């Protein structure tokens, strides 16, 4: 049996047929969604005798940290959640769960579950996993410690009664790369606190290189962000840049394992090796070199997150990257981007670096023109907005809805079939410096302006599912059964939003676009480089 057993709930080990954004299916309401939907969409990662061949990147980092700090390879295992019992025995001292959204309190889940009033799949599957592990503990009379860490660990600290009921011994919050060995030995010795909050962050040289393949070939290129958005935990962390050599080693490890993809993970890919901490103008050469290095190992290179302001400030950088990764009509680059709100007042109050090197007053213009830069170069931005930001007003929310309408219309006028983006409204969750604020509960709190924001976001999403999904799923055989279901699903959701609005007394009304124009071709910012010619 194994000394330290890592595992995670099975919503995090599903590949969801490699459909973009379907990873969020775990946030859907378990009590409202037909059970067959999850069964059909669920495709689990492979394992070898119960050991995961691929695992989430954050879990791989903790595994590597233990192996670097004196734990033997035969003492540490990352187990598939459906087969974890076979690794737990008398020699087991710690069973550690890596979790993203264990109680369904994340922004996407809170949006889909009416502010947490319904159970979502991550909550159900997390509880099922814990109960199975506790059943092994009781049946075999074992005294291992049950530990929960990962990005969602804060939820267990918030809901301590439920945590005690589930017999979870320790919760670890924070980056553990530099302290994992000592921390796990303290847990084994019984000297660790029940809630372990790790203060500070590891230096770059203290972050270990993964020793086993990461899920989907994810590779971290930087930690933290530095833009300092007040509602975002990662943005408040000190930015640290992973050296190219270390990034290459991890990509090569994944490629050797048969993963022909490199997802370059950061909070903002365009801030890699940034030197301008005042205006956040990208270090274009460093970002382009990052993609060029990754492209040496696989033709499939994608970023995870970025900012629209950086793309607009450095359009030559976007064009150069598109050339490196062979972006085109049959190969779109997906990226998740924070839209948040169209209101300059709220952007300036809570996210006063997000729009840099531009000003808060330019934010709606930045979103329109930055999306033009993305689309022109075959990038497909998936935007997220926030419902219920403190200080929000109906005027601000209607302005957000109008900006969605404006972007749809103006981009199609200028780019035709190349115009693509989505906007997904999320519920405000009090995190970061806004931790003391109230969770947003859509059923109780929605206003008319928020309803229009929600409706026009979903209306555009329905349009993109019909027009854009085939572009993203080109070559994926699951497109054939999934596409009709997705088209039907978004239309049903849109009709339900309309009916729900009527029950609230809210009618959908046409919205005039904002007085904004696409001006990228008429302006050059901050001394553009010659990157396009160079690459």
């Amino acid at each position: 049996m194994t000394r330290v057993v890592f595992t995670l709930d099975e919503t995090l080990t599903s590949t969801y047929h490699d459909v973009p954004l379907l990873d969020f299916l775990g946030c859907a309401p378990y009590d409202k969604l037909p059970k067959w939907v999850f069964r059909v969409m669920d495709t689990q990662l492979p394992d070898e005798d119960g050991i995961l061949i691929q695992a989430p990147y954050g879990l791989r980092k903790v595994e590597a940290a233990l192996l670097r700090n004196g734990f033997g390879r035969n003492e540490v295992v990352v187990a598939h959640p459906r087969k974890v019992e076979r690794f737990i025995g008398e020699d087991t001292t710690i069973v550690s769960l890596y979790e993203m959204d264990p109680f369904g309190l994340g922004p996407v889940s809170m949006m889909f579950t009416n502010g947490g009033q319904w159970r979502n799949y991550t909550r159900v599957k997390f509880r099922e996993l814990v109960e199975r592990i506790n059943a092994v503990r009781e049946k075999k009379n074992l005294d291992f410690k049950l530990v929960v860490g990962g990005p969602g660990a804060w939820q267990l600290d918030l809901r301590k009664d439920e945590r005690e009921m589930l017999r979870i011994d320790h919760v670890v919050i924070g980056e553990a790369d530099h302290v994992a060995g000592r921390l796990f030995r303290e847990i084994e010795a019984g000297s660790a606190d029940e809630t372990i909050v790790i203060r500070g962050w590891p230096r770059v040289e203290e972050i270990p290189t993964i020793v086993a393949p990461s899920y989907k070939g994810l590779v971290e290129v930087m930690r933290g962000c530095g833009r300092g958005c007040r509602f975002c935990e990662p943005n408040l962390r000190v930015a640290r840049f992973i050296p190219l050599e270390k990034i290459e080693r991890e990509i090569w490890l994944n490629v050797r394992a048969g993963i022909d993809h490199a997802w370059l993970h950061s909070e903002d890919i365009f801030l890699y090796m940034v030197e301008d901490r005042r205006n956040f103008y990208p270090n274009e050469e460093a970002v382009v070199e990052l993609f060029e290095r990754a492209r040496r190992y696989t033709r499939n290179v994608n970023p995870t997150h970025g900012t629209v302001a950086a793309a607009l400030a450095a359009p030559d950088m976007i064009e150069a990257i598109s050339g490196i990764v062979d972006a085109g009509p049959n190969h779109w680059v997906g990226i998740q981007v924070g839209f948040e709100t169209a209101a300059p007042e709220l952007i300036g109050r809570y996210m006063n670096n997000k729009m840099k090197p531009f000003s808060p007053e330019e934010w709606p213009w930045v979103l329109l023109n930055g999306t033009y830069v993305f689309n022109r170069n075959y990038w497909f931005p998936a935007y997220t907005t926030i419902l219920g930001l403190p200080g929000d007003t109906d005027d601000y929310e209607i302005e957000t809805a109008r900006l969605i309408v404006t972007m749809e219309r103006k981009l199609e006028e200028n780019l035709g079939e190349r115009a693509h983006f989505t906007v997904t409204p999320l519920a405000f969750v009090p995190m970061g410096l806004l931790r003391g604020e109230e969770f947003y509960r859509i059923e109780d709190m929605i206003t008319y302006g928020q309803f229009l924001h929600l409706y026009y976001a979903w209306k555009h999403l329905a349009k993109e599912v019909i027009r854009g999904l085939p572009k993203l799923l080109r070559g994926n055989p699951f497109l054939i059964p999934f596409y009709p279901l997705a088209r039907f699903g978004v239309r049903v959701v849109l009709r339900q939003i309309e009916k729900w609005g009527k029950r609230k007394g809210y009618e959908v009304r046409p919205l005039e676009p904002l007085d904004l124009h696409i001006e990228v071709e008429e302006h050059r910012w901050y001394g553009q480089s010659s990157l396009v010619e160079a690459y």
Side-chain angles (χ1 to χ4, degrees):
M1 294 299 174
T2 309
R3 178 180 175 185
V4 177
V5 179
F6 287 110
T7 193
L8 60 168
D9 77 76
E10 61 191 65
T11 67
L12 297 174
T13 53
S14 180
T15 66
Y16 301 103
H17 297 277
D18 296 319
V19 176
L21 300 182
L22 201 58
D23 292 350
F24 291 107
L25 182 61
C27 304
Y30 179 85
D31 302 305
K32 300 294 181 178
L33 198 69
K35 302 302 180 287
W36 63 264
V37 172
F38 191 86
R39 289 195 299 270
V40 169
M41 301 300 182
D42 178 31
T43 47
Q44 289 289 310
L45 286 169
D47 64 89
E48 290 183 353
D49 298 324
I51 298 174
L52 280 171
I53 297 173
Q54 300 176 36
Y57 186 81
L59 181 49
R60 287 299 192 206
K61 283 294 187 183
V62 181
E63 173 193 34
L66 289 187
L67 297 180
R68 184 184 61 181
N69 283 275
F71 286 73
R73 176 70 276 184
N74 63 335
E75 294 181 308
V76 179
V77 70
V78 178
H80 195 290
R82 294 181 177 175
K83 301 176 182 179
V84 65
E85 290 93 339
R86 68 176 64 176
F87 299 100
I88 302 173
E90 293 182 356
D91 297 330
T92 303
T93 59
I94 296 173
V95 177
S96 182
L97 311 185
Y98 176 87
E99 293 298 328
M100 293 286 291
D101 192 20
F103 287 164
L105 301 179
V108 181
S109 294
M110 291 293 282
M111 189 69 201
F112 291 165
T113 62
N114 193 17
Q117 294 185 34
W118 306 320
R119 298 179 301 164
N120 71 342
Y121 272 91
T122 65
R123 179 170 182 158
V124 169
K125 296 301 181 181
F126 171 72
R127 187 183 182 105
E128 287 179 357
L129 176 62
V130 171
E131 288 176 347
R132 283 173 41 219
I133 292 170
N134 278 327
V136 174
R137 181 154 54 175
E138 290 177 4
K139 182 178 180 180
K140 297 184 178 181
N141 194 28
L142 303 176
D143 62 355
F144 61 81
K145 301 297 183 182
L146 182 54
V147 180
V148 177
W154 62 272
Q155 298 182 12
L156 286 93
D157 190 45
L158 191 66
R159 299 281 176 87
K160 292 182 178 178
D161 290 346
E162 193 167 355
R163 162 185 164 180
E164 291 176 4
M165 181 184 65
L166 292 173
R167 297 172 57 197
I168 294 167
D169 300 294
H170 299 279
V171 173
V172 181
I173 300 173
E175 296 180 26
D177 309 67
H178 55 317
V179 297
R182 172 176 59 80
L183 185 62
F184 274 61
R185 289 186 177 93
E186 288 177 357
I187 292 173
E188 288 177 326
S191 59
D193 294 333
E194 291 184 359
T195 299
I196 303 164
V197 179
I198 301 169
R199 308 295 178 183
W201 305 279
R203 300 186 303 274
V204 170
E205 58 270 21
E206 293 178 306
I207 299 173
T209 301
I210 62 173
V211 297
S214 60
Y215 178 39
K216 290 188 176 180
L218 191 78
V219 171
E220 182 180 46
V221 303
M222 62 182 285
R223 288 264 179 105
C225 172
R227 287 189 184 265
C229 297
R230 296 180 64 192
F231 63 87
C232 179
E233 293 283 353
N235 280 347
L236 300 176
R237 300 176 190 167
V238 174
R240 287 143 292 160
F241 308 111
I242 310 301
L244 287 172
E245 295 73 21
K246 196 171 197 175
I247 294 169
E248 287 184 279
R249 285 200 299 272
E250 294 193 337
I251 294 174
W252 177 232
L253 182 149
N254 285 325
V255 170
R256 281 191 305 170
I259 303 172
D260 188 22
H261 210 123
W263 282 94
L264 304 181
H265 177 63
S266 67
E267 304 307 323
D268 183 355
I269 193 70
F270 306 126
L271 289 188
Y272 182 69
M273 293 294 178
V274 68
E275 296 173 347
D276 180 2
R277 301 300 180 93
R278 181 181 178 87
N279 291 309
F280 292 92
Y281 184 80
N283 183 339
E284 297 184 57
E285 289 78 9
V287 176
V288 169
E289 185 181 6
L290 169 65
F291 279 85
E292 187 180 39
R293 292 279 194 102
R295 183 65 176 77
R296 294 177 183 175
Y297 301 92
T298 172
R299 68 176 300 273
N300 301 306
V301 180
N302 268 85
T304 56
H305 301 81
T307 49
V308 65
L312 179 58
D316 284 1
M317 175 184 67
I318 303 300
E319 188 172 350
I321 295 170
S322 292
I324 292 167
V325 303
D326 296 329
N330 298 323
H331 182 197
W332 285 73
V333 179
I335 188 168
Q336 295 185 47
V337 188
F339 181 131
E340 321 308 2
T341 175
E345 294 83 355
L346 293 180
I347 285 288
R349 186 185 310 172
Y350 297 122
M351 302 154 256
N352 63 341
N353 288 320
K354 192 176 190 71
M355 80 302 300
K356 287 185 176 179
F358 304 97
S359 68
E361 292 71 28
E362 295 175 289
W363 181 239
W365 177 86
V366 168
L367 281 161
L368 173 61
N369 282 268
T371 308
Y372 175 85
V373 171
F374 278 138
N375 287 172
R376 187 181 63 184
N377 293 288
Y378 298 101
W379 290 53
F380 197 133
Y383 288 108
T384 54
T385 52
I386 303 175
L387 287 174
L389 267 173
D392 199 6
T393 69
D394 256 21
D395 287 341
Y396 294 159
E397 290 288 347
I398 293 173
E399 190 173 357
T400 298
R402 290 180 65 198
L403 181 54
I404 295 169
V405 172
T406 305
M407 290 168 61
E408 179 181 290
R409 187 172 304 180
K410 294 289 185 180
L411 291 166
E412 286 184 5
E413 287 174 359
N414 283 267
L415 292 170
E417 287 298 313
R418 204 187 294 192
H420 291 289
F421 68 95
T422 61
V423 179
T424 304
L426 305 180
F428 170 72
V429 171
M431 299 178 67
L433 297 179
L434 301 181
R435 190 177 294 274
E437 300 287 345
E438 188 176 7
F439 278 87
Y440 179 76
R441 302 181 307 280
I442 187 169
E443 182 70 33
D444 303 330
M445 297 181 174
I446 193 160
T447 66
Y448 182 51
Q450 291 169 354
F451 168 73
L452 291 176
H453 170 177
L454 180 69
Y455 174 80
Y456 278 100
W458 271 93
K459 184 179 181 183
H460 181 74
L461 177 62
K463 186 173 185 176
E464 284 294 359
V465 166
I466 295 169
R467 293 195 320 133
L469 194 61
K471 296 180 185 296
L472 291 178
L473 283 179
R474 194 182 299 272
N476 187 332
F478 190 62
L479 173 64
I480 297 172
F482 177 70
Y483 184 54
L485 180 63
R487 290 183 59 166
F488 174 74
V490 292
R491 286 170 172 163
V492 168
V493 170
L494 197 60
R495 287 197 298 269
Q496 291 301 316
I497 290 174
E498 289 186 65
K499 292 179 182 178
W500 174 67
K502 287 181 180 179
R503 292 199 301 269
K504 291 282 186 182
Y506 301 147
E507 290 284 346
V508 175
R509 63 179 173 88
L511 294 178
E512 287 297 316
L514 299 172
D515 186 21
L516 296 172
H517 302 282
I518 292 174
E519 303 169 292
V520 174
E521 302 296 348
E522 302 170 19
H523 294 79
R524 306 298 284 176
W525 298 282
Y526 302 95
Q528 288 299 307
S529 71
S530 57
L531 282 172
V532 177
E533 289 76 14
Y535 291 90

